[in-house]
Amino acid sequence: MTSITLIVIASLVGVCVAKGAADSTGGWLSGSSTFYGSPTASGPPDNGGKCGFKNINLPPFNSLTSCGSKALWKEGKGCGSCYLMKCTSHPLCSGQPKLITITDECLYGGCADATYHFDMAGIAFGSLALPGKELDLHKAGKLAVLFKRVPCDYKGRNINFHIEEGSNPMYLALLTEYQNGEGDLSSLEIKEAGSSTWTPLKQSWGKIWRLDSPHPLKGPFSIKVTTISGKSLVANNAIPADWKPNTKYDSKVNFQAQL
């Protein structure tokens, strides 16, 4: 039976926004924002991105996603981090905060010259506007925004492990999805059936981690997820012995929705 073990190794709150120009109220920080792709689209044409997430146009992301500059991307380990964002710098800004998730990397344009820059999906950028003014706000091109790190909360969902295409008994690649709390990932470990040893996976790209095994892997597999701040969670027997590539498995567990 799947169970949960939560180990707080270190207490580091808001690691992604530990430095910056803080607003005078509520811990808001100053950043900038642009958009890419069509104003009415979810960003990348494949509805994915460099984190490896799939179908970001659908719930729970609903196209409210963004590429992150270096300080937000964190070499892919910042994938899945959640932020509240609002803009008050333009007459068409609503000033209402929107929840945005990092799903891709931003390398050029504003991301190259700003510490905290969000290159947002067109729909996400438009969500900062007054009702009915979404397309008009896109004409601004670039906005000064306020943002702050918040816990991810995928209500009613557990962490899912998607076994990537190409996985086989000697090679396992996993995408971790719907991770509550910090949302980020610093390490992923696997324990095979009948073993007491945790074997670390290597980050392949974004939130996809892989294991090149010297022997055929034996399931079911237990998975240990560790965040950047050091919080760990164990999903026992999360992946069955008869696992298949391109398949998603519900871990039955999740972190608490807090930083």
Side-chain angles (χ1 to χ4, degrees):
M1 179 177 294
T2 305
S3 62
I4 179 171
T5 303
L6 184 62
I7 309 166
V8 180
I9 300 175
S11 177
L12 178 59
V13 178
V15 293
C16 213
V17 292
K19 297 180 181 180
D23 187 65
S24 60
T25 59
W28 292 91
L29 301 176
S30 299
S32 55
S33 177
T34 50
F35 73 95
Y36 70 111
S38 166
T40 57
S42 303
D46 63 352
N47 293 314
K50 202 171 178 180
C51 285
F53 296 126
K54 299 162 177 64
N55 302 315
I56 60 173
N57 57 314
L58 301 177
F61 297 113
N62 296 310
S63 303
L64 297 179
T65 61
S66 180
C67 303
S69 59
K70 185 177 180 180
L72 303 168
W73 172 249
K74 294 179 178 260
E75 298 182 333
K77 292 182 173 64
C79 284
S81 300
C82 297
Y83 296 88
L84 277 183
M85 183 185 298
K86 62 182 178 179
C87 76
T88 58
S89 59
H90 190 281
L92 297 181
C93 290
S94 70
Q96 298 300 309
K98 297 294 182 178
L99 182 66
I100 304 296
T101 305
I102 298 296
T103 58
D104 209 340
E105 179 182 18
C106 182
L107 295 172
Y108 310 107
C111 294
D113 57 20
T115 302
Y116 300 116
H117 184 83
F118 297 82
D119 194 26
M120 305 170 71
I123 290 174
F125 189 91
S127 74
L128 302 176
L130 291 167
K133 299 297 182 180
E134 293 84 359
L135 294 180
D136 292 327
L137 184 62
H138 283 87
K139 297 175 184 177
K142 184 176 182 179
L143 295 171
V145 296
L146 296 174
F147 73 98
K148 61 180 174 180
R149 181 83 177 271
V150 294
C152 300
D153 188 2
Y154 296 103
K155 290 181 173 62
R157 296 178 187 261
N158 300 313
I159 289 177
N160 278 201
F161 298 109
H162 183 274
I163 299 185
E164 297 294 292
E165 194 70 44
S167 294
N168 59 64
M170 307 291 289
Y171 169 79
L172 184 67
L174 298 178
L175 167 67
T176 304
E177 300 179 292
Y178 315 142
Q179 181 185 331
N180 280 347
E182 294 166 30
D184 56 32
L185 185 60
S186 69
S187 71
L188 203 64
E189 300 168 81
I190 188 172
K191 185 167 66 174
E192 296 179 66
S195 174
S196 60
T197 301
W198 287 104
T199 302
L201 280 70
K202 294 181 179 179
Q203 186 183 22
S204 186
W205 54 278
K207 214 165 185 180
I208 295 177
W209 293 61
R210 73 180 191 279
L211 175 62
D212 299 287
S213 177
H215 63 269
L217 294 166
K218 182 181 179 182
F221 306 132
S222 296
I223 310 292
K224 182 187 289 186
V225 179
T226 302
T227 68
I228 290 176
S229 74
K231 294 177 182 177
S232 290
L233 172 149
V234 172
N236 289 317
N237 302 324
I239 298 175
D242 60 348
W243 60 269
K244 295 177 177 60
N246 201 27
T247 304
K248 185 182 294 188
Y249 294 98
D250 189 324
S251 72
K252 304 296 191 296
V253 298
N254 212 330
F255 288 97
Q256 293 182 357
Q258 61 187 35
L259 294 178

